Amino acid sequence: MAQARKRRLRLSAIIGTVPMMIVAIGVYVIGIAFTVFWSFTDSKLFPNSTLVGFKQYHRLWQDDRWLVAVQNIWIFGILLMVFALAFGFLLAVFMDQEIRQEDLLRSIYLYPFAMSLIVTGLVWQWMLDPNFGIEHTVRSLGWANFQFSPLVDPNTAIYGLVVAGIWQGSGVTMAILLAGLRGIDAEIWKAARIDGIPIWRVYIFIVIPMMRGSIGTAFVLIAVGVVRVYDLVVAMTGGGPGISTNMPAVYVIDMITKSYNVGQGMAAATIMLLPVIAVIALIGLGRIVSTRRKNAAILRAEATA
Amino acid sequence: MTNHSVSVKDLTLNFGAVKVLKNLTLDISEGEFIVLLGSSGCGKSTLLNCIAGLLDISDGEIWIKGKNVTWAEPADRGIGMVFQSYALYPQMSVRGNLSFGLKTAGVPRAEIEKRVARASEVLQIEPLLDRKPSALSGGQRQRVAIGRALVRDVDVFLFDEPLSNLDAKLRADLRVEIKRLHQQLNNTMIYVTHDQVEAMTLADRIAIMKGGHIMQLGTPDEIYSRPQNRYVADFIGSPSMNFIDGQLQDGVFARGDLTIPMAGYNYASPQPPGGPATIGIRPEHVVTGELVGNAPVQLDVTVDIVEPMGSDTLVWTEVAGERFRVRMDGHAQVRHGEPLRIGIVPARASLFDAKSELRL
């Protein structure tokens, strides 16, 4: 009887997990395998299996558009990372001051994240448009020489994207970091006050190091958003002016759908996969090292206790 | 103001409409070890936080070392504090934990090293100085936390349930160490706990708190032998005191057939009062065995439940219809249903007014 129940349980567990496994293996593993495979072929409009070695990669790194895209993602990624983390942290600190209407404010800050990047992109495109956006508004208030239209100039268009990205990402960063802040024992704060440590020093030397977990989570989330950024670019600039705001994901999609060059698109996609794999491997390695270290520390403490 | 290390004057603390502490007054002498004892929610930790300056008070004054520190920052009050969760800075080594506050305050490097060396010697944590808190056991962590208070070179130490997170054996060990530390340093110490054993063993004086009031302030012996009210009598002592409600008339306590002449009882007021009263008798003050003959009052009871605890045995009986606990020797051979002769010594009992619950 007991065994029968056990078997039934296991069966239902299998039924429950199989679709997930099919999706994971079918979509991710097989999909990635095909991507890598086609990157070594001379596939044009339709995928074929004529192997050409590293030719697509060679061509990729000679393409100005791709080089601009790579340069852009560095600018976009680093700026977004720094500012979203900084703003998110400041917002979280502000929210942690036992303010009123915390729930309402949190919803407001989280709202951009709930919105589609297409919508975010369109809204910011309007706001940065010289004809009816911020520049127009300020000029109509009397500052006739005011200039703020980054999207028009190829040299500054990427920073317009960064502004929209920060607006979109700060709220969720705040939510994650706020959870981290709340997880810190109130007695730590009391102890620091007794020690007479100024608040900003407590944040920098005690609290932020204690928040490594949530900062890491926020970091990964932003990083993923950076690597796959596509819709924001399409909605705001379409990669322009010229090729100035191309990003790797935009490049990949354009190669497949506009240039009918699947092979080169796949090569670009494979290159995009590399930093993701590297980050995941680093995180995994870090976890293994830190658990080992922790176990060793516990053993040592037990030995001396 | 001369002799008092810490003075709390008319302290009131409100959280919104709730009065947490009500007109509290407490004077603590130089070098005294005061324990604030009470069940959770009685305001003992709140009072400690007020003294530390971690909570802003609503009314009253706090003086430390002859200075009014009511509105001073915690760091400027000349106090060190030890917390229940240790509250060590997890990313810093033990040395970093001890010296971080001093560094921030701009104490010269040589002086910091001297103080850290001295504190770690007193607490025997020298071999641990370069470890992180995560590599320490609970007892070691709490020692480091005490060390962090020690290096501040202050006159007043505040302890907020420092041993509550430790297991029973470690707690007993560290309790003795805190007592030794007090003898060695002779600082004023204010110690919050809900553990009456800690309170009785450590304190010079105990303040028993309930609902934001101090119910009684006295030496452990006073608190145990002459509780000022029924709450204190009930709170202190394990197993707790037996209470029987009755009438006090002309120096005789009576409840139905039970009469206890209170000869030898030390009344709180000069003339023996009368009226409804409660008598309290500690289980360990009930006489059994051969000595019963010497007791002024003798009763015959029936054994109901026997709880052997090794060193002694707790026997549940009934007196005047009330449950009555008797503490007997661990070797006592008693069984359910057997008759038992017990003796009561009125001089060691406590009488409380039935209405005000104050000691008579």
Side-chain angles (χ1 to χ4, degrees), chain A residues 185 187-188 190 194-196 209, chain B residues 75 83 85 88-89 91 152:
Chain A
D185 188 352
E187 289 192 338
I188 291 273
K190 289 186 182 179
I194 300 265
D195 267 351
Chain B
F83 298 91
S85 67
L88 298 177
Y89 311 134
Q91 311 295 336
R152 289 178 51 75

Side-chain angles (χ1 to χ4, degrees), chain B residues 264-304:
Chain B
Y265 180 76
N266 194 359
Y267 286 100
S269 52
Q271 64 270 41
T278 306
I279 190 167
I281 300 160
R282 292 203 181 277
E284 56 270 36
H285 292 162
V286 177
V287 188
T288 56
E290 294 139 31
L291 298 171
V292 170
N294 302 337
V297 180
Q298 293 167 20
L299 301 168
D300 286 306
V301 295
T302 311
V303 175
D304 185 15

